[in-house]
Amino acid sequence: MDERIERIEKFLSVSTELIEGKFINADTKISEVLAAIAGSRDLTELFSAVTQGFDFSAAKRNYLRFPAAEGAAHGVAYLPADRSETLAFIFCLFVEIDAGALPFNDFLLRYFYVDGSYTASFSVFTERLVKPFRDIVRDCYPDVGRRGKFEKERREQEELVGAIARIIPAEKARLNGFALREEEKTAVDVLLSEAAAAAARREISALVALLAGYKYLLRYVGGEDKNSAELFRLAARL
């Protein structure tokens, strides 16, 4: 995979870990998000562009607000309507949190307060701020998302083919114990041997076709069991 795509996908992966992770690991994950940005030329250029001329002090006054009631203990965090400003605002928040200039625990309970719970407040924080941050960046690089989806599907297919290849020898051994006619034995051997070869070559269409033929042969000789059922279940997912 292209290195620049890998670096952007690293950012998306770490951002997702922050979203799906636990409050106790939040500081570490925020640092990893910033490190992923620093490690990608594409992302450093993106954030350099969106933060150029950005007034973070004014943004905090605009988007981190307290109710008008005097002495209110908890405020509300808003996001800018502009997507570029949203990226700049959250990036600068992350930088301040990572540097310790903005104590994260206090920040959570001040602007994302839920019953005094850090865990619940952190969940609101990730939903309102981190998800939009990640998703806007992902939208900036649509090819990365498509590549990531392709890679995931490819890995899943590899796992399925590997599982099928491991079942085939057991299936061969199982059928050897059946009282089959000579032509039936030959058909079993040919179908499973060719299926194993197709799996080794990652020829998915041929593998599916051979296993379909084997399935009908098993029905004909009454040889179906839980082993063959698992084999056909895996094949159906290819």
Side-chain angles (χ1 to χ4, degrees):
M1 187 188 299
D2 186 89
E3 184 177 350
R4 61 174 288 271
I5 291 178
E6 283 185 345
R7 292 180 184 274
I8 297 169
E9 288 191 343
K10 173 64 175 177
F11 163 83
L12 297 175
S13 174
V14 173
S15 296
T16 299
E17 289 172 10
L18 173 59
I19 293 165
E20 297 177 352
K22 297 180 179 180
F23 159 73
I24 196 171
N25 299 321
D27 288 342
T28 299
K29 288 302 174 183
I30 288 173
S31 297
E32 290 180 10
V33 168
L34 293 174
I37 292 171
S40 166
R41 181 175 178 179
D42 292 87
L43 295 178
T44 54
E45 289 177 352
L46 171 65
F47 284 99
S48 293
V50 298
T51 55
Q52 186 173 6
F54 180 71
D55 189 339
F56 182 48
S57 296
K60 283 195 289 186
R61 291 192 297 272
N62 287 333
Y63 304 119
L64 300 178
R65 299 181 186 176
F66 277 84
E70 186 175 347
H74 309 296
V76 180
Y78 298 92
L79 287 181
D82 181 81
R83 288 162 67 88
S84 295
E85 283 191 30
T86 294
L87 288 182
F89 178 56
I90 299 174
F91 174 76
C92 291
L93 282 176
F94 279 5
V95 170
E96 281 207 345
I97 291 168
D98 188 55
L102 184 62
F104 186 56
N105 292 10
D106 294 344
F107 175 68
L108 275 185
L109 294 188
R110 180 167 292 191
Y111 297 106
F112 304 92
Y113 182 84
V114 181
D115 298 330
S117 165
Y118 285 115
T119 298
S121 300
F122 175 66
S123 180
V124 175
F125 163 75
T126 58
E127 184 69 28
R128 291 185 183 173
L129 263 67
V130 186
K131 275 189 178 180
F133 183 70
R134 178 200 62 186
D135 293 346
I136 292 171
V137 172
R138 184 169 56 197
D139 290 346
C140 292
Y141 304 98
D143 288 343
V144 173
R146 285 196 290 269
R147 175 65 69 88
K149 182 179 179 181
F150 171 78
E151 287 296 320
K152 181 181 178 182
E153 291 174 349
R154 183 189 63 78
R155 286 193 298 270
E156 289 175 351
Q157 190 177 77
E158 285 287 320
E159 290 172 1
L160 289 171
V161 171
I164 288 170
R166 289 190 292 273
I167 290 175
I168 287 174
E171 191 68 5
K172 265 191 172 186
R174 186 176 72 85
L175 267 292
N176 281 339
F178 275 61
L180 301 176
R181 292 179 295 179
E182 198 60 37
E183 61 269 25
E184 292 168 345
K185 290 180 181 179
T186 300
V188 167
D189 183 65
V190 169
L191 285 170
L192 289 179
S193 295
E194 289 298 321
R201 295 191 299 267
R202 299 303 189 259
E203 294 177 353
I204 305 301
S205 296
L207 176 59
V208 170
L210 287 162
L211 291 179
Y214 179 63
K215 184 176 184 178
Y216 284 107
L217 176 61
L218 274 190
R219 285 182 179 175
Y220 175 73
V221 299
E224 295 170 297
D225 78 342
K226 63 181 182 180
N227 195 69
S228 63
E230 177 63 8
L231 180 67
F232 301 136
R233 185 188 71 81
L234 294 170
R237 293 176 57 193
L238 288 174

